[in-house]
């Protein structure tokens, strides 16, 4: 155990001058730095001025006694170790003092060795606590994650996304967010809006794929009274509602060609014309669009206008699929466990190593959204403080990514089958922490058959 570089600092609180003097001499000789106070009040003043490692406190004192002192410094008890000194008849009080957070008590009269021993014991505890704190802060430094808005990540690729998004949030440039379904496009768009100087103005999301084509125009641009049957009063469109703020055009690839032209005009002139209105209105909007499609391909197929594509693609953010940033899985998992612990009122601590192995190996076609659903389900199902393999859907272990190609040369199907079998068995064993019964179940083979294969392939698990 490491000894502290500076001598430990002790405060003696006792109303008897002789006691203060004797204790000071003993402790100074043992290498402590010593201060003394003659009652609780003076003790408090000293505590406020100095952080003591230990406090030796008498129980019976005029003015403010030991118990009142202890109550008064309760907020410091985490950082300092208090030992009560109980004279004859105050033993019960000493025990109550321990309930209030005092670490120990010694009975008066005591021998010099006794007090030194008590301090030594307390010092060891103090060192342990210090080490614990250091370990904790080291762990949280290792665990330090990247954050942007409500997103967390650990991977370099997402760090780059966050850096770019943070930069863009300070500008009004049009942003196009690419990413498969469930990769966090909504969250990035919101993050950009709410981190920027438009954050107090509206953020208006529009799902371009979710509104029927004939309604989409009036939704976006609004209309004048009488523009069509049923238009019995003027109505503002979503562009107008987003004035001063941000409009988020989600699934922009779904925007019908007729509206693509109209959107292009909005982007060029920052003007909108409600249906049935002869005049245009100026709007001050920031446009963020998102798509899970490959817009360049759509442009090549002429289903997406090239000019609009270039207008939107001024700054592009590409969200990598989860399978390409496996490092993010543990931090996301922790985040979702915390979220659903709160929501469902559970106290799940984490994920067992075999279950984590399965989470890491899965291909996540539904990306972060799929992971979130899996964790929510597991938090509900789990009967232990840890999420276990059996709390994960069976489908997960079966849809793991295919083994890395290139391990096999030649044409023999038999040979290829053996290699695949061996890999899958090893993976199943890793995922179940060597539990052969569970591994056999995952592999959909019998237990004896698994044992025989383990032997054949010399798998030593
Ligand atoms: N990095 C992340 N950190 C925390 N939560 C995330 C992260 N990425 C995604 N999520 C969560 O995953 C879910 C899906 O995210 P989001 O809705 O932003 O994805 P999307 O790309 O817009 O999907 P879609 O294309 O289906 O609309 C949400 O519940 C979101 O909170
Ligand atoms: Mg979305």
């Amino acid at each position: 155990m490491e000894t502290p570089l500076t001598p430990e600092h002790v405060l003696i609180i006792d109303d008897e001058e002789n006691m203060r003097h004797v204790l000071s001499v003993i402790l100074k000789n043992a290498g402590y730095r010593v201060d003394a106070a003659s009652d609780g009040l003076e003790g408090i003043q000293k505590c406020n001025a100095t952080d003591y490692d230990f406090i030796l406190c008498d129980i019976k004192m005029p003015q403010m006694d030991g118990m009142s002192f202890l109550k008064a410094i309760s907020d410091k008890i985490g950082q300092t170790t208090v030992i009560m000194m109980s004279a004859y008849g105050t033993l019960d009080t000493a025990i109550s003092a321990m309930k209030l957070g005092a670490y120990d008590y010694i009975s008066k009269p005591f021998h010099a060795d006794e007090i030194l021993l008590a301090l030594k014991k307390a010092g060891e505890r103090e060192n342990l606590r210090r080490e614990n704190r250091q370990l904790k802060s080291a762990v949280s430094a290792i665990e330090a994650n990247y954050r942007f808005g409500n997103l967390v990540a650990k991977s370099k690729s997402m760090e780059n996304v966050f850096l770019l998004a943070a930069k863009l949030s300070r500008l009004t440039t049009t942003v196009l967010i690419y990413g498969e379904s469930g990769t966090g496009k909504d969250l990035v768009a919101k993050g950009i809006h709410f981190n920027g100087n438009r954050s107090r103005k509206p953020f208006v999301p529009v799902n371009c794929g979710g509104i029927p084509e004939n309604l989409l125009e009036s939704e976006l641009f609004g209309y004048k009274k009488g523009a069509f049957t049923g238009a019995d009063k003027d109505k503002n469109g979503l562009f107008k509602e987003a004035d001063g703020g941000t409009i988020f055009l989600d699934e922009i690839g779904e925007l019908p060609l007729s509206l693509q032209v109209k959107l292009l005009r909005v982007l060029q002139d920052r003007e909108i014309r409600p249906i049935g209105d002869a005049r245009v209105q100026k709007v001050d909007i920031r446009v963020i669009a998102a798509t899970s499609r490959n817009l360049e391909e759509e442009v090549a197929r002429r289903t997406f206008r090239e000019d609009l594509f270039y207008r939107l693609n001024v700054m592009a953010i590409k969200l990598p699929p989860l399978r390409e940033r496996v490092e993010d899985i543990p931090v996301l998992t922790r985040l979702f466990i915390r979220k659903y612990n709160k929501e469902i009122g559970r106290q799940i601590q984490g994920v067992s190593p075999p279950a984590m192995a399965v989470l890491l190996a899965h291909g996540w076609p539904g990306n972060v959204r799929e992971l979130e659903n899996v964790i929510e389900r597991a938090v509900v199902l789990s009967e232990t403080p840890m999420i276990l393999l059996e709390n994960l859907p069976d489908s997960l272990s079966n849809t793991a990514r295919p083994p890395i190609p290139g391990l096999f040369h030649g044409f023999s199907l038999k040979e290829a089958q053996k290699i695949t079998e061996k890999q899958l068995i090893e993976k199943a064993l890793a995922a179940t922490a060597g539990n052969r019964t569970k591994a056999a179940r995952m592999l959909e083979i019998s237990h004896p058959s698994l044992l025989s294969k383990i032997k054949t392939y010399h798998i030593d698990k």
Side-chain angles (χ1 to χ4, degrees), residues 6 32 69 127 130 140 235 256 263 300 303 340 342 368:
T6 48
Y32 291 97
F69 167 78
N127 278 338
R130 196 174 302 133
S140 60
K235 186 179 181 291
L263 174 60
T303 48
Y340 290 103
K342 234 193 217 158
V368 184

Side-chain angles (χ1 to χ4, degrees), residues 145-217:
N145 305 324
Y146 305 118
R147 284 182 172 279
F148 177 72
N150 286 331
L151 295 116
V152 300
K154 180 98 195 161
S155 58
K156 191 76 199 148
S157 55
M158 285 302 281
E159 185 200 7
N160 290 336
V161 164
F162 293 176
L163 288 174
L164 178 58
K167 257 187 215 152
L168 293 177
S169 65
R170 278 174 253 130
L171 311 170
T172 39
T173 335
T174 301
V175 180
L176 180 56
I177 306 169
Y178 287 97
E180 289 178 12
S181 180
T183 45
K185 298 185 295 295
D186 274 58
L187 286 191
V188 170
K190 282 188 191 129
I192 291 176
H193 173 78
F194 288 105
N195 275 311
N197 50 17
R198 296 181 166 238
S199 62
R200 287 159 192 275
K201 293 293 171 67
F203 174 84
V204 179
V206 188
N207 182 353
C208 302
I211 307 172
E213 184 173 346
N214 55 345
L215 279 184
L216 192 55
E217 183 177 2

Side-chain angles (χ1 to χ4, degrees), residues 8-59:
E8 287 163 311
H9 208 167
V10 187
L11 174 65
I12 300 163
I13 311 176
D14 201 306
D15 55 323
E16 280 174 53
E17 198 190 337
N18 191 35
M19 183 54 113
R20 293 199 299 271
H21 177 70
V22 172
L23 268 176
S24 294
V25 172
I26 297 175
L27 296 180
K28 276 182 187 159
N29 284 342
Y32 291 97
R33 276 200 297 160
V34 184
D35 279 348
S38 56
D39 62 35
L41 271 182
E42 198 189 343
I44 291 175
Q45 283 164 5
K46 291 226 142 82
C47 279
N48 285 335
T50 309
D51 290 330
Y52 291 100
D53 298 296
F54 306 104
I55 299 173
L56 289 172
C57 183
D58 190 20
I59 290 180

Side-chain angles (χ1 to χ4, degrees), residues 185-186 248 250-251 369:
K185 298 185 295 295
D186 274 58
F248 174 46
D250 204 358
E251 291 308 341
R369 180 179 294 111

Side-chain angles (χ1 to χ4, degrees), residues 415-432:
E415 197 52 35
Q417 193 183 354
K418 276 187 202 158
I419 291 174
T420 315
E421 263 193 27
K422 181 166 185 249
Q423 281 185 343
L424 284 175
I425 292 170
E426 282 172 340
K427 206 170 78 186
L429 287 169
T432 57

Side-chain angles (χ1 to χ4, degrees), residues 213-232:
E213 184 173 346
N214 55 345
L215 279 184
L216 192 55
E217 183 177 2
S218 62
E219 280 292 312
L220 284 174
F221 295 89
Y223 50 78
K224 282 301 272 183
K225 179 179 173 184
F228 46 81
T229 351
D232 48 6

